[in-house]
Amino acid sequence: MEKTTMVLNPVISKLAGKLVVLASASPRRLEILSNAGLRFEVVPSWFKETLDKGLFKAPHEYAVETAKQKALEVARRMTFKHLKTPDIVIGADTIVSVDGMILEKPADKDDAYGMLSSLSGKEHSVFTGVAIVLCHEKENEEVDYQLIEFYEETKVKFADLSDDMLWDYINSGEPMDKAGGYGIQALGGMLVEYVYGDFLNVVGFPLNHFCKQLDRIYNQQSASVRPSHNGAHDASALTQPSPPKLSAQSSHSPSSPAKHNPTSSSADPIRQVERKGSANCWTLVNSLSKHTEDREANLRGSENTVPLMTSRGQVIELNVTEQEDGEPKTDDLQRIVDLMDGFKASKALFTASKLCVFDLLHSRPGLDAAQVAQEIKASVKGTRCLLEACVSLGLLRSRERTCEKPLFENTDLASRFLLTDAPCSLRGYIQHCDDTVWPLFSHLESAVREGANQREKAFGKTSTDMFQDTYYNSQEVKLRFMNAMHSVAKVTGRAVATAFDLSGFKTACDLGGCTGAMAYEFTKAHPGLSVTVFDLPAVVEMSEHFHPPHTDNRVSFVAGDFFKDELPKADLYVLARILHDWPDESVHILLSKISDACSPGCGLLLSEIFLDEDRGGPRRGLLQALSMSEGSQRSAAEYAVLLKSHGFTTTRVTLTDSLLDAALCIKA
């Protein structure tokens, strides 16, 4: 290990400030690379390892191809979803080969027994394929991808093993997540007679070979990595627009002894998948400010399903009483100060999120301000002020060290909602608020005076031009918008999907369903329901980048314009966060189309922020109305009247504990 570290040390300075990503969740690979001193983020690949083994002439080709697909999937997804391009992505795949068979992780105990029995008393090979993707951003929004592939082979001999010994080992549970069904670094080491080659390669990563490749890349300054006698070779630079449509294939040096897979997988590694959220996703919104929505927490009570006309309750009025000396009470003064400082707290959250502070402290907790500043490329003074502000907001915590600088780490709140890959991540919506909502509210005075949105002042576009020219022609802004909608749908989807018993419906159509996040929550909550997501062609085309591979084929996507095109047939139509954006004329056109598509007994599930009947709350709905969109915020009763004019009877209304409420309506 000492010699390996010496190989890596000269490379460390070259990697300073670079975003290095490990496309693997393997704790063994993480430990090996961390021990070597490499700093990196972990972004597990969504590539489904279903390549046909029969298409490969040699076992190592399968391992290399799988590693390549893992690395390429993460490199592409980070540009699309994370909105940042990594400098280096590392993919790896370890397999065991014996008697011409490729052994991966066992599916169950019987599979583990079959694997270990086949290894008993024999010598076998452990192959680890490694792919290094170098990403180079260009000024024209393109990204160059350079691919370096190699593999390492280690020979391992098992002792003759009795059935009792095999089953004792299998019942320990250790074989189940390891290639070949054993872990040589733990109990599995007792099964091994000898190892010939790189021991760490058997554990899961050929560190020595990897370090040599890094040395070749950065210290020999080769723009195109030269072929290696031991199986390493590079691909020509793959130039793709950002976000790229990257081919699964790559060209290889003909002089390399490593053989390329003759038939590359045609399956796109990015697919829709059900995202498992938490029932407590709403906590963040209630926690960002200690006064936000406290009224509703007290008024909703434990019973969520209410009669149609029931309001959440009366508005809580602030009774500012004066003390004897004429000074206002401290609590009353603090409420006003909190309102005055609210925009500062929002901007601190937006800035920390945009600079990836929370992601950084998740991958490397316990950094001081200077270390964070170096990683996010900001001043030490500014970074320290931002981190301390986030501590005051409950988003970070600091740990003091005697006579040393404080160290910072995420709070549970930040880990649950502010990390890019958190199940209930709101990072996409936070970025949308920063990039789109914040500029609009900077012109609120003009919006109030004119009674119109201020997109022209904020973005140089009128409302119509902004929607068409930017959201549906600019790929970057469209992606940000879809990220925002995806964030909200993930957080609210479960509450909306479980608001009612939908067992009477077999097919549903989510109109304007964007990435399908809400649709997947519906199929998860209702096993007998299939959902079609209907949205604009450009949205459907991009939606695949928001979900990993998913085996549930009950969610499908259809491209179209719900104002112009025929709606897909369904028993239940879902309108989530749609009607409030559109003027009354457009709302009536859409509801008429839905009504025409419905036969008696069909349903319409409406999900919006329902205002109180006295329009005294909830706060988030009334503040949203200040954006002065062409649409309107309505109460549940107002929506009921609107829907009744199109033949729908509102049967139930549920005020959820999430960002959206829900109403179930039936066609008469």
Side-chain angles (χ1 to χ4, degrees), residues 254-527:
S255 63
S256 170
K259 298 177 181 178
H260 178 53
N261 169 24
T263 305
S264 180
S265 170
S266 60
D268 191 320
I270 302 177
R271 290 286 185 268
Q272 295 79 21
V273 73
E274 177 181 308
R275 298 296 294 268
K276 295 182 180 180
S278 165
N280 297 322
C281 291
W282 168 237
T283 305
L284 172 64
V285 181
N286 284 336
S287 303
L288 286 179
S289 169
K290 65 179 180 179
H291 298 299
T292 302
E293 306 294 354
D294 53 352
R295 175 183 62 85
E296 294 176 20
N298 294 325
L299 294 176
R300 286 177 180 263
S302 59
E303 181 62 37
N304 287 333
T305 303
V306 297
L308 174 63
M309 301 304 293
T310 299
S311 171
R312 291 174 176 82
Q314 300 299 316
V315 177
I316 295 178
E317 297 181 1
L318 300 182
N319 183 17
V320 183
T321 58
E322 294 189 354
Q323 301 180 33
E324 292 182 1
D325 58 1
E327 294 289 333
K329 287 185 176 180
T330 302
D331 288 347
D332 296 330
L333 178 61
Q334 188 61 48
R335 292 189 180 192
I336 298 300
V337 172
D338 285 346
L339 291 174
M340 293 167 57
D341 286 343
F343 76 98
K344 300 175 186 175
S346 297
K347 196 60 177 178
L349 169 64
F350 298 164
T351 301
S353 180
K354 179 169 287 189
L355 294 176
C356 301
V357 169
F358 305 109
D359 284 338
L360 172 63
L361 292 178
H362 174 67
S363 61
R364 296 173 56 194
L367 299 181
D368 61 33
Q371 291 171 317
V372 174
Q374 181 181 5
E375 295 294 331
I376 67 175
K377 298 179 174 61
S379 69
V380 175
K381 176 182 178 180
T383 301
R384 183 176 62 252
C385 290
L386 179 61
L387 296 175
E388 290 172 347
C390 287
V391 170
S392 74
L393 294 173
L395 305 178
L396 298 178
R397 65 172 65 92
S398 63
R399 291 188 284 110
E400 297 289 341
R401 298 182 297 176
T402 305
C403 300
E404 295 185 37
K405 301 174 183 177
L407 305 178
F408 296 89
E409 58 188 25
N410 290 330
T411 61
D412 292 340
L413 187 67
S415 296
R416 290 170 61 197
F417 298 104
L418 304 182
L419 301 181
T420 299
D421 282 325
C424 287
S425 174
L426 280 169
R427 187 165 183 261
Y429 189 66
I430 288 170
Q431 184 171 4
H432 172 71
C433 290
D434 190 19
D435 295 338
T436 302
V437 180
W438 181 275
L440 287 175
F441 273 70
S442 296
H443 300 280
L444 182 58
E445 181 178 346
S446 297
V448 171
R449 291 185 183 277
E450 300 169 14
N453 72 73
Q454 299 298 304
R455 282 201 167 96
E456 186 170 6
K457 289 182 179 178
F459 308 108
K461 298 281 187 179
T462 64
S463 178
T464 302
D465 289 339
M466 180 66 181
F467 190 80
Q468 295 295 334
D469 294 348
T470 301
Y471 282 130
Y472 290 94
N473 283 339
S474 169
Q475 195 173 47
E476 179 186 356
V477 178
K478 177 177 64 179
L479 188 61
R480 287 207 304 266
F481 178 76
M482 292 179 67
N483 260 318
M485 298 304 101
H486 186 71
S487 291
V488 174
K490 285 197 302 179
V491 171
T492 61
R494 183 177 182 276
V496 174
T498 58
F500 311 108
D501 179 6
L502 302 179
S503 58
F505 302 102
K506 301 302 180 185
T507 59
C509 179
D510 187 1
L511 298 174
C514 200
T515 67
M518 184 79 74
Y520 282 109
E521 288 298 328
F522 272 82
T523 57
K524 179 183 174 182
H526 306 283

Side-chain angles (χ1 to χ4, degrees), residues 70 109 113 128 178 222 395 427 521 605 615 634:
K70 289 179 179 179
K109 289 186 176 181
Y113 175 80
T128 298
K178 296 172 179 65
S222 54
L395 305 178
R427 187 165 183 261
E521 288 298 328
L605 195 156
R615 301 187 73 84
R634 298 176 173 89

Side-chain angles (χ1 to χ4, degrees), residues 451-453 455 580-582 624-633:
N453 72 73
R455 282 201 167 96
H580 75 274
D581 265 337
W582 296 95
Q624 181 172 293
L626 287 173
S627 65
M628 299 295 171
S629 71
E630 295 181 85
S632 301
Q633 300 290 334

Side-chain angles (χ1 to χ4, degrees), residues 15-327:
L15 296 180
K18 293 185 181 296
L19 177 56
V20 181
V21 174
L22 175 62
S24 171
S26 166
R28 292 165 292 281
R29 293 188 184 118
L30 189 152
E31 182 180 10
I32 290 171
L33 290 172
S34 297
N35 289 342
L38 187 66
R39 294 183 175 182
F40 56 95
E41 292 185 13
V42 175
V43 180
S45 177
W46 291 345
F47 175 67
K48 193 172 183 180
E49 300 177 34
T50 56
L51 297 176
D52 186 351
K53 300 179 180 67
L55 297 176
F56 298 87
K57 295 181 180 179
H60 73 263
E61 295 180 11
Y62 173 83
V64 169
E65 183 66 22
T66 302
K68 181 181 75 173
Q69 295 293 348
K70 289 179 179 179
L72 291 176
E73 187 279 322
V74 169
R76 179 167 61 176
R77 172 158 51 95
M78 287 192 69
T79 303
F80 273 108
K81 182 182 178 184
H82 299 226
L83 299 180
K84 59 182 179 181
T85 300
D87 296 295
I88 303 173
V89 179
I90 305 164
D93 186 63
T94 300
I95 61 170
V96 170
S97 177
V98 61
D99 298 333
M101 296 186 300
I102 295 176
L103 307 181
E104 295 184 278
K105 299 173 183 177
D108 50 37
K109 289 186 176 181
D110 289 337
D111 193 23
Y113 175 80
M115 289 184 180
L116 294 170
S117 297
S118 69
L119 300 177
S120 178
K122 296 179 183 178
E123 184 182 88
H124 61 270
S125 293
V126 178
F127 294 97
T128 298
V130 178
I132 303 173
V133 177
L134 307 179
C135 310
H136 309 284
E137 286 186 307
K138 300 169 67 176
E139 293 182 358
N140 58 356
E141 293 190 347
E142 291 184 343
V143 179
D144 282 346
Y145 292 84
Q146 186 178 9
L147 179 65
I148 296 92
E149 303 171 354
F150 64 90
Y151 69 92
E152 186 73 29
E153 179 181 9
T154 303
K155 298 288 187 180
V156 179
K157 169 73 184 303
F158 264 27
D160 290 316
L161 307 174
S162 67
D163 277 1
D164 288 342
M165 181 179 291
L166 286 179
W167 280 112
D168 283 344
Y169 179 59
I170 292 169
N171 289 329
S172 74
E174 186 177 280
M176 304 314 297
D177 66 337
K178 296 172 179 65
Y182 72 96
I184 195 169
Q185 74 280 9
L187 295 176
M190 295 186 293
L191 313 178
V192 175
E193 276 191 359
Y194 66 74
V195 176
Y196 183 76
D198 186 343
F199 178 83
L200 289 181
N201 182 57
V202 185
V203 177
F205 196 81
L207 181 63
N208 182 270
H209 197 159
F210 172 74
C211 294
K212 291 175 181 176
Q213 290 299 322
L214 288 185
D215 180 64
R216 182 178 289 109
I217 294 169
Y218 289 103
N219 288 337
Q220 296 183 16
Q221 299 183 1
S222 54
S224 175
V225 179
R226 292 188 294 274
S228 166
H229 71 279
N230 55 1
H233 52 289
D234 78 318
S236 302
L238 305 176
T239 303
Q240 300 290 347
S242 176
K245 294 182 179 179
L246 188 60
S247 170
Q249 297 185 357
S250 59
S251 59
H252 294 258
S253 168
S255 63
S256 170
K259 298 177 181 178
H260 178 53
N261 169 24
T263 305
S264 180
S265 170
S266 60
D268 191 320
I270 302 177
R271 290 286 185 268
Q272 295 79 21
V273 73
E274 177 181 308
R275 298 296 294 268
K276 295 182 180 180
S278 165
N280 297 322
C281 291
W282 168 237
T283 305
L284 172 64
V285 181
N286 284 336
S287 303
L288 286 179
S289 169
K290 65 179 180 179
H291 298 299
T292 302
E293 306 294 354
D294 53 352
R295 175 183 62 85
E296 294 176 20
N298 294 325
L299 294 176
R300 286 177 180 263
S302 59
E303 181 62 37
N304 287 333
T305 303
V306 297
L308 174 63
M309 301 304 293
T310 299
S311 171
R312 291 174 176 82
Q314 300 299 316
V315 177
I316 295 178
E317 297 181 1
L318 300 182
N319 183 17
V320 183
T321 58
E322 294 189 354
Q323 301 180 33
E324 292 182 1
D325 58 1
E327 294 289 333

